Amino acid sequence: MSIKARIIRSDKRVFDCRLEDSKKIVQATSMGNLLKGETSLVVGDYVEVEFDSDRNEYKIMSAHARRNEIFRIQVREHRKRVTASNCDLLIAVTSASLPEYKRGVLDRLLVRAAQWGVDAFVVFNKMDTYLDQFVINDEVERLKNINGTFFEVAALDPQYKPRFLPNGLDELKQKLQGKTAIVMGQSGVGKSRLISALSGGMVELPSLKISKVGKGSHTTTWSEIVSIGDFELIDSPGMRSISVEDIAPEDLIQYFPDLFAYASRCKFSNCKHSEKIPGCAFHPIFQAATSEAKRLLSRLESYQRIMEEVSSTPDWQKKW
Ligand SMILES: Nc1nc2c(ncn2[C@@H]2O[C@H](COP(=O)(O)OP(=O)(O)OP(=O)(O)O)[C@@H](O)[C@H]2O)c(=O)[nH]1
Ligand SMILES: [Mg+2]
Ligand SMILES: [Zn+2]
């Protein structure tokens, strides 16, 4: 008889699986056919395991269909690399200082969330070091049409009470109940520290463990799910920059839902939506001097910057 389980850790052939009913964690090896190609097992996958009493071990017999995938296309090898599955959320972590808050990086993470089809939680971390480097409410306002949720925290100080936003660490914890989230952001923003804070100190900086598995290569990536009470988090190794070069230029606008509304009204096809094109749906916004227009234009700027990047990679390399 087979039992449903979830893969919470992968190490090439051996997987830690958590049995759905008893929550017991067992090690299992996989049937060879489940280790190949695009469907190769990843953390987050639900599988059916059977206990082999002769060999005294669990075996993964089959895998359930995935609800979604955290993936990127490896442009040069043109193949799709799936790193985790069945996530509900992307937690995009930014920091008030060291490293400084960067809109462009956050916008890239939001593009990924949209592409993967997961909701975005945006965390402003290290708010204990916040000294008016940027106006946090403006940043939230700027992203109000992307359907995200925003949190103000200081992972180093779990007692920190938010001063600008309605949501802090407690609300984050609450809204995570029953969910699986992947935690992403630039190196040093405090992803691991945040996970530790969310666990109430039960989890000690999981990145330390992860970096051993993913040693220096950015192909082996998320390898472990950390279970915290009623929710699960996947830490990820920090990135210097969040590359989105594998996205097809024609798809990009959909991943900016706030701009997409305007772009679909533009009467030109293949429009670059630049200031110099009267008749472009964005043209009036360039003329407007309102803060609303400014915020939208800063999103358009991110879009155009990413567009340049994705257009410089030949399309055929993005297929797999
Ligand atoms: N002042 C302050 N420092 C913090 C806060 N959160 C994290 N840090 C510090 O920032 C540094 C980086 O934290 P990590 O949690 O390791 O960052 P990370 O995002 O996991 O980094 P990578 O694993 O390299 O991607 C550590 O020295 C933390 O102590 C915070 O809320 N306030
Ligand atoms: Mg880390
Ligand atoms: Zn246009």
Side-chain angles (χ1 to χ4, degrees):
M1 202 196 62
S2 73
I3 313 168
K4 192 178 180 190
R6 189 172 204 194
I7 296 179
I8 57 168
R9 197 150 121 80
S10 96
D11 189 9
K12 293 210 177 96
R13 279 210 61 126
V14 185
F15 301 88
D16 284 355
C17 299
R18 194 185 48 233
L19 306 180
E20 283 288 280
D21 49 4
S22 66
K23 305 286 172 216
K24 200 172 108 184
I25 293 165
V26 302
Q27 285 209 326
T29 53
S30 168
M31 307 290 284
N33 62 325
L34 295 174
L35 298 173
K36 292 194 202 95
E38 207 185 295
T39 51
S40 173
L41 299 170
V42 296
V43 289
D45 275 342
Y46 289 99
V47 293
E48 291 292 325
V49 297
E50 270 178 28
F51 187 68
D52 180 342
S53 49
D54 292 342
R55 310 179 72 176
N56 199 29
E57 65 174 25
Y58 281 89
K59 259 204 144 55
I60 299 173
M61 308 306 290
S62 62
H64 288 248
R66 290 172 182 155
R67 184 155 50 79
N68 63 20
E69 295 176 331
I70 302 302
F71 70 92
R72 54 175 290 121
I73 293 155
Q74 291 182 301
V75 173
R76 265 142 222 102
E77 292 87 7
H78 42 112
R79 65 186 185 129
K80 185 180 181 184
R81 164 83 61 167
V82 181
T83 42
S85 72
N86 302 317
C87 288
D88 302 288
L89 290 164
L90 165 68
I91 302 182
V93 185
T94 70
S95 77
S97 63
L98 300 169
E100 63 177 335
Y101 171 76
K102 289 192 199 80
R103 282 176 168 177
V105 175
L106 178 54
D107 286 346
R108 278 158 185 267
L109 287 170
L110 296 172
V111 163
R112 281 290 184 214
Q115 184 197 24
W116 294 331
V118 299
D119 290 341
F121 278 11
V122 177
V123 171
F124 295 93
N125 187 34
K126 305 200 191 184
M127 285 300 289
D128 56 314
T129 67
Y130 177 77
L131 295 165
D132 300 331
Q133 293 95 328
F134 53 98
V135 181
I136 183 166
N137 292 89
D138 279 358
E139 298 311 304
V140 172
E141 191 65 18
R142 175 178 179 267
L143 297 171
K144 68 176 177 209
N145 291 326
I146 64 138
N147 221 354
T149 314
F150 302 85
F151 302 88
E152 175 189 345
V153 308
L156 260 197
D157 172 16
Q159 304 310 318
Y160 176 88
K161 291 281 165 267
R163 291 174 288 164
F164 307 98
L165 304 182
N167 296 323
L169 191 70
D170 291 343
E171 288 77 14
L172 175 57
K173 221 166 162 168
Q174 237 169 45
K175 291 183 201 292
L176 281 171
Q177 295 304 309
K179 305 258 162 64
T180 300
I182 179 147
V183 183
M184 294 182 72
Q186 268 186 295
S187 189
V189 292
K191 297 178 293 296
S192 300
R193 185 63 67 172
L194 177 69
I195 292 175
S196 178
L198 284 165
S199 78
M202 269 160 45
V203 177
E204 278 301 321
L205 297 186
S207 70
L208 300 178
K209 277 189 282 168
I210 282 189
S211 50
K212 257 190 265 160
V213 183
K215 246 190 285 177
S217 91
H218 36 219
T219 47
T220 321
T221 36
W222 303 290
S223 49
E224 190 165 11
I225 289 186
V226 185
S227 202
I228 302 171
D230 190 32
F231 58 93
E232 323 222 61
L233 299 176
I234 305 175
D235 196 1
S236 71
M239 288 148 278
R240 197 162 293 249
S241 65
I242 316 285
S243 160
V244 287
E245 62 171 7
D246 57 319
I247 289 175
E250 64 273 21
D251 291 342
L252 186 61
I253 194 74
Q254 296 165 46
Y255 305 142
F256 282 82
D258 47 351
L259 302 182
F260 187 59
Y262 281 85
S264 53
R265 272 185 259 138
C266 188
K267 60 180 180 190
F268 306 116
S269 56
N270 285 324
C271 184
K272 290 201 157 60
H273 310 307
S274 99
E275 187 169 7
K276 296 164 194 84
I277 308 177
C280 166
F282 285 91
H283 194 255
I285 296 160
F286 282 102
Q287 315 304 318
T290 63
S291 52
E292 181 78 24
K294 251 170 73 186
R295 283 193 284 264
L296 199 62
L297 290 182
S298 88
R299 285 278 290 163
L300 187 62
E301 211 171 279
S302 276
Y303 167 78
Q304 284 165 338
R305 195 165 306 149
I306 296 174
M307 190 56 156
E308 231 166 78
E309 184 179 329
V310 300
S311 306
S312 66
T313 311
D315 256 1
W316 63 268
Q317 288 192 331
K318 299 176 187 179
K319 302 284 188 284
W320 65 92

